[in-house]
Every structure is written in structure tokens, then in C-alpha cells.
Amino acid sequence: MGRTLLTGASGYLGQRLLQQLIRTEEPMLIPLRAASAAEFARRQQKILRALPEKSHRQVEFVHGDLSSLREILKSKTDEIDRVVHNAAVTAFNVDEETANRVNRDGTVEMLKLAQQCSRLQQFLYVSTVYASGMSAGVIEEKIFDPRP
């Protein structure tokens, strides 16, 4: 059985994605960005509290951000068969440098990591606030089946 790498699991949308993905019973790999070990532990516990206790064994957390994941996960790339890249800066008032570093450059890093995953079957990219284009009105949220 492979493993799903989910970025952005501590955010609003990421928490909901994780709740859906955990139902597959596939092991999950969750990177968390944190300034300290204490913050990492707090963020990890917040995520686990939102999940059924029986699924806690499915989740492995790693401390790192998008720019460091290739190095941090190099020993695990042969286990990853799906990447769900959901990490992003979604605030409209963020400066351009930060938006580009996280949203654009972070995605490039995730694509490079995906190239190193020999068992990769899916790369899913979730984009929200910066990708509505010319659409107006309500954009419906749909539950997806993560396996074809």
C-alpha cells in the first residue's frame, strides 16, 4: 500500500480534504510548517483532534515547509503514490514576494518532489483564491472519490 502526501492540512480546506482522504485508510504523510518544536506539536494535535481516533495511526507528520520537503522526504519518496498539493497563501493582502514564494515556487518544489516519487500515480493540485478566473457566483464544493 502506498502513501498520500497532503500539504496544507492545517488550513481550512486542508482539514476537510484530510477528513475525506483518511477514509481511504491509506497512510497519510503530513508536512507541517512551524517555527518551533512546540508549535509543531500544537499544530499536529489540532489536526489529530479533528480526526477519528482510530485513524491517528494512519497519519505521520514531518516538520518542514515546501522549500525543504525534497530533502526531508528523500528517504520516503518510494512510498508516496499520491500527492495532494493544497498548501498556499490565500490572503488577498499578502505581499507579492510571499505569494510568489509560497504559491508559485512552492508548487514548483512539489512538482520536483513528485518527479522523485517512483510509485506516483496521482498529483492533485488544489488552487482556490488565486484561480477563480472570470467565474462569477457560487462555485459548488463537491466531494470527490480520490481513487479512479
Side-chain angles (χ1 to χ4, degrees), residues 18-32:
L18 180 56
Q19 289 168 356
Q20 293 297 315
L21 291 168
I22 207 77
R23 294 177 182 176
T24 66
E25 298 186 8
E26 183 170 313
M28 303 293 299
L29 188 57
I30 309 291
L32 291 176

Side-chain angles (χ1 to χ4, degrees), residues 33-80:
R33 178 182 45 83
S36 66
E39 181 185 355
F40 177 77
R42 280 192 302 275
R43 296 182 86 193
Q44 180 178 339
Q45 287 307 307
K46 180 182 176 192
I47 290 170
L48 289 174
R49 279 193 303 271
L51 297 175
E53 190 171 331
K54 68 177 186 168
S55 65
H56 290 190
R57 61 179 164 60
Q58 288 173 247
V59 182
E60 178 184 350
F61 295 93
V62 294
H63 187 178
D65 64 16
L66 298 177
S67 66
S68 62
L69 282 183
R70 278 194 295 151
E71 182 63 29
I72 292 167
L73 298 177
K74 68 182 174 185
S75 67
K76 297 183 183 292
T77 56
D78 61 339
E79 302 170 15
I80 298 169

Side-chain angles (χ1 to χ4, degrees), residues 105-128:
D105 301 343
T107 299
V108 168
E109 285 299 313
M110 291 306 299
L111 289 168
K112 289 178 181 177
L113 172 64
Q115 287 178 322
Q116 296 172 344
C117 298
S118 60
R119 296 178 47 169
L120 191 70
Q121 295 177 17
Q122 291 180 319
F123 184 96
L124 304 167
Y125 174 62
V126 179
S127 181
T128 56

